[in-house]
Amino acid sequence: MSAASCLLTEDQFLCSICLDVFTDPVALSCGHNFCQNCITEHWDSNVSCQCPNCKKVFNTRPELHVNTFIKEIAAQFRQSAQQKSSSSSSERQVSKPGEVPCDVCTGTKVKALKSCLVCLVSYCETHLEPHLTISGLKRHQLMDPVENLEDRMCEKHDKLLELFCKNDQRCVCVLCSVTDHKTHDVVPLREEYEGKKNEIQQMIQKRRVKIEELKLSVELSDENADREIAEGVGVFSALKESVERRQAELINSIKEKQRETEKQAEGFIRELEQEISELEKRRAEVEQLSRSEDHLQLLQTFTSLNSAPPTKDWTEVRVHPPSYEGTVVRAVKQLEETISEQMKKLICEVELKRVQQYEVDVTLDPDTAHPELILSDDGKQVKHGDVKKDLSDNPERFNQCVNVLSKQSFSSGRFYYEVQVKGKTEWFLGVARESINRKGIILRTPQKGFWTIWLRNENEYKACAGPSVRLSLQSGPEKVGVFVDYEEGLVSFYDVDAAALIYSFTGCSFTEKIYPYFSPGLNHAGKNSAPLIISPVSHTE
């Protein structure tokens, strides 16, 4: 018996119900063995009598008899296993506080390796072996060890919580899903877990994307800061150069006046020195004559000396120091005027560069164009052609005023575009809201949904502000930039080449889509035949 037991393994003496070595083993007619108490309790808790392993159903409950032969062998195996367990217990990992212990171990509790959701028992490596080798137990659901497995059972039906009710957001058992949660959306726990895991993963991904967006925003902010610093340094450098230039001009002006004074004084001094020299010569001559005893010759000679031209009267001759009174004040005022003009220009240049960042691609919409307008194939040019084309008078088309809108509309944010007006004697430019009147005579005022400026009679510029505002421009622009800030209610027009602000509509109320608006004006027998051209923005550094 001892030799035979050495050839047997623990699996052959384990009850598949309690997963321990047989106690009072009984054999069923199907050939499977169980502990007498285990199979009895199993049949007591089920409606039908069947083998837990092979599922064979017995019409009547079999009469159970303890198999003494297997009982003796199991007792010997249990004793041997206990001895082996006691000798190797020191080698096994004893569970520590906070770790899940094995529920099967007696005496010293070993750390559990897995928990079975079917048996509701946690097993160490040794007692887990049957679940890894016995076919019936292999189907059990194992998981990382957890405590309080009874919490995974439905308190109402004593069934495993293996489903999730989406309506009530709680775990339920199979019986719950067909009773209290019959009409609810119930899914397996794994499906809900995967859904939650994917949801969390998506949340993580969104936040990672947001982090990248924030990093990009910081980079753009850094670039904007560097650009603003560069532009600021440029502005202040230009102002500094202007101040230094005016300072140099002031110093040179004062020095020039001083040089003129010195030059005048030097002239007087040379003239005086020359007269002194002449007088010295005459004095020498007089002294020489005074030694002569020929009185007649003396008087005749002296008379000739008196007949010489009289010397200059220097009594009233003065060198007046130049007056510097008010020089510095005038220079500062001139500097102030220069800096003011220069600042306006520099600020406008900076502002123009800023709004040019909001460049949009604008093309003309032929469905809105007056029948006498000629549009280029690329939708970038428009001019008046005198001849009226036979086009359908759709609701979007202007039928009397030679106008056209863009295909693009805007209902938020900022946008900017440029239009070449070179060579024209008449034009209208700006933006218009979607609901403007397009038929008959049109008043281009903000009250009617238009924010525009126009040129007439070659050099007469006005802003159609209702009433019109005359614009005083030093020179006519060849390219006009149009900038709109929808939320701020701002429409600004720029002379692009001069980097100068032409006019701004402020406090505009935009409540619907707005469109870039163009009117090349009438042809006037070829005098105004040049087209309006939507030009790409040329960004200057």
Side-chain angles (χ1 to χ4, degrees):
M1 177 66 69
S2 176
S5 64
C6 294
L7 299 177
L8 300 176
T9 63
E10 184 180 8
D11 296 345
Q12 296 170 292
F13 296 94
L14 293 181
C15 171
S16 60
I17 296 178
C18 67
L19 303 177
D20 203 352
V21 179
F22 291 125
T23 300
D24 295 332
V26 294
L28 303 183
S29 60
C30 59
H32 293 112
N33 300 299
F34 303 94
C35 296
Q36 187 176 28
N37 287 338
C38 291
I39 190 63
T40 301
E41 291 179 358
H42 177 73
W43 283 345
D44 289 343
S45 61
N46 290 275
V47 176
S48 60
C49 296
Q50 62 178 4
C51 176
N53 285 357
C54 67
K55 307 302 180 183
K56 178 180 178 180
V57 178
F58 302 97
N59 295 327
T60 58
R61 179 180 291 196
E63 185 177 350
L64 302 176
H65 300 281
V66 175
N67 189 322
T68 56
F69 177 71
I70 297 178
K71 180 179 180 181
E72 292 176 358
I73 296 178
Q76 292 184 11
F77 195 90
R78 182 183 293 107
Q79 183 178 2
S80 175
Q82 289 176 348
Q83 293 175 351
K84 184 185 296 183
S85 175
S86 61
S87 63
S88 61
S89 60
S90 60
E91 301 175 2
R92 292 185 294 171
Q93 187 177 2
V94 178
S95 64
K96 300 176 182 178
E99 294 179 339
V100 179
C102 175
D103 294 327
V104 181
C105 288
T106 58
T108 303
K109 292 290 186 179
V110 179
K111 177 183 176 181
L113 185 63
K114 292 289 182 181
S115 294
C116 178
L117 294 180
V118 177
C119 305
L120 297 180
V121 176
S122 297
Y123 299 103
C124 63
E125 183 177 3
T126 301
H127 294 113
L128 181 66
E129 186 66 22
H131 278 76
L132 304 178
T133 56
I134 299 176
S135 59
L137 298 179
K138 286 182 179 180
R139 292 193 293 269
H140 288 194
Q141 185 177 353
L142 300 176
M143 63 177 297
D144 290 335
V146 293
E147 293 182 317
N148 303 323
L149 285 170
E150 60 274 9
D151 292 342
R152 296 176 176 269
M153 300 296 290
C154 175
E155 295 180 355
K156 184 176 181 179
H157 301 105
D158 198 28
K159 294 289 185 181
L160 182 66
L161 296 173
E162 52 186 336
L163 301 173
F164 185 83
C165 176
K166 290 180 173 290
N167 298 71
D168 296 334
Q169 290 291 300
R170 57 177 295 185
C171 298
V172 297
C173 68
V174 175
L175 292 179
C176 289
S177 66
V178 296
T179 55
D180 300 341
H181 303 266
K182 184 176 182 180
T183 59
H184 294 181
D185 184 8
V186 178
V187 298
L189 287 180
R190 177 171 291 277
E191 180 180 332
E192 180 65 17
Y193 164 75
E194 293 295 334
K196 293 291 186 183
K197 185 171 72 173
N198 292 336
E199 181 180 345
I200 293 174
Q201 185 61 36
Q202 290 175 2
M203 293 172 65
I204 293 173
Q205 186 61 30
K206 287 181 179 179
R207 281 154 179 77
R208 285 176 176 168
V209 171
K210 180 58 66 175
I211 289 174
E212 294 302 318
E213 289 179 359
L214 294 174
K215 287 182 179 179
L216 179 60
S217 297
V218 171
E219 292 177 3
L220 293 176
S221 178
D222 289 341
E223 293 175 2
N224 291 337
D226 292 340
R227 182 169 56 252
E228 289 296 323
I229 290 173
E231 291 175 352
V233 170
V235 169
F236 281 96
S237 295
L239 295 176
K240 180 181 177 182
E241 290 175 2
S242 181
V243 171
E244 291 175 347
R245 185 168 57 253
R246 285 293 181 178
Q247 176 182 293
E249 291 174 358
L250 172 63
I251 293 172
N252 290 335
S253 175
I254 294 173
K255 287 184 176 181
E256 181 62 30
K257 288 184 178 181
Q258 177 62 19
R259 281 194 295 268
E260 290 177 359
T261 301
E262 291 176 355
K263 185 176 180 181
Q264 184 185 33
E266 288 172 358
F268 289 154
I269 291 171
R270 281 195 301 269
E271 190 175 349
L272 284 168
E273 288 176 345
Q274 186 176 356
E275 289 189 3
I276 290 172
S277 178
E278 289 293 330
L279 291 172
E280 290 286 352
K281 286 174 59 177
R282 287 175 182 269
R283 186 180 64 177
E285 290 176 355
V286 170
E287 288 179 356
Q288 186 177 2
L289 289 173
S290 67
R291 299 191 190 99
S292 174
E293 295 182 358
D294 188 348
H295 299 291
L296 176 63
Q297 182 183 4
L298 174 62
L299 292 174
Q300 289 177 342
T301 304
F302 193 78
T303 301
S304 65
L305 289 174
N306 287 335
S307 64
T311 57
K312 183 176 180 179
D313 184 4
W314 292 91
T315 305
E316 301 300 329
V317 174
R318 298 284 189 275
V319 174
H320 298 285
S323 174
Y324 302 114
E325 183 178 353
T327 302
V328 175
V329 174
R330 286 192 298 273
V332 170
K333 287 184 177 180
Q334 292 175 356
L335 175 63
E336 183 180 3
E337 293 173 359
T338 302
I339 289 179
S340 179
E341 293 176 0
Q342 193 170 6
M343 282 181 63
K344 289 179 181 178
K345 180 175 175 56
L346 292 172
I347 290 172
C348 194
E349 287 177 353
V350 171
E351 177 66 15
L352 182 59
K353 287 180 181 179
R354 183 186 69 82
V355 300
Q356 284 178 333
Q357 299 176 27
Y358 300 101
E359 175 190 7
V360 293
D361 185 16
V362 174
T363 53
L364 303 171
D365 184 0
D367 291 337
T368 65
H370 184 275
E372 293 179 7
L373 293 181
I374 300 174
L375 275 61
S376 62
D377 293 338
D378 61 0
K380 296 293 184 179
Q381 301 185 27
V382 58
K383 63 182 180 179
H384 182 237
D386 287 330
V387 179
K388 188 173 184 178
K389 297 186 288 293
D390 184 16
L391 299 174
S392 61
D393 188 19
N394 57 58
E396 294 81 15
R397 191 180 306 283
F398 294 94
N399 68 349
Q400 189 162 342
C401 295
V402 287
N403 301 337
V404 61
L405 299 179
S406 71
K407 291 181 179 179
Q408 294 75 22
S409 65
F410 303 89
S411 56
S412 65
R414 305 179 179 98
F415 64 92
Y416 173 86
Y417 60 94
E418 294 180 353
V419 183
Q420 180 178 307
V421 297
K422 182 179 180 181
K424 296 192 65 60
T425 61
E426 181 180 322
W427 48 259
F428 281 82
L429 286 176
V431 293
R433 65 184 179 216
E434 186 176 32
S435 61
I436 55 171
N437 176 35
R438 309 187 188 198
K439 309 301 179 183
I441 300 298
I442 297 173
L443 294 177
R444 302 176 180 90
T445 64
Q447 292 77 15
K448 298 296 182 180
F450 291 86
W451 292 268
T452 62
I453 62 173
W454 55 262
L455 164 68
R456 281 183 178 175
N457 303 323
E458 298 187 25
N459 58 7
E460 183 183 346
Y461 295 91
K462 288 187 178 181
C464 302
S468 297
V469 177
R470 177 176 286 277
L471 305 175
S472 299
L473 305 181
Q474 292 183 352
S475 61
E478 294 187 351
K479 186 180 290 185
V480 176
V482 183
F483 171 71
V484 176
D485 188 327
Y486 193 98
E487 282 73 22
E488 287 293 326
L490 173 68
V491 181
S492 296
F493 299 86
Y494 296 87
D495 181 341
V496 176
D497 297 321
L501 177 65
I502 298 174
Y503 186 80
S504 286
F505 291 91
T506 58
C508 308
S509 179
F510 298 134
T511 57
E512 57 184 274
K513 292 179 181 179
I514 56 176
Y515 292 78
Y517 162 86
F518 309 83
S519 176
L522 298 177
N523 189 6
H524 295 305
K527 190 177 181 180
N528 188 39
S529 61
L532 290 176
I533 303 174
I534 302 171
S535 307
V537 174
S538 177
H539 297 276
T540 57
E541 296 298 331

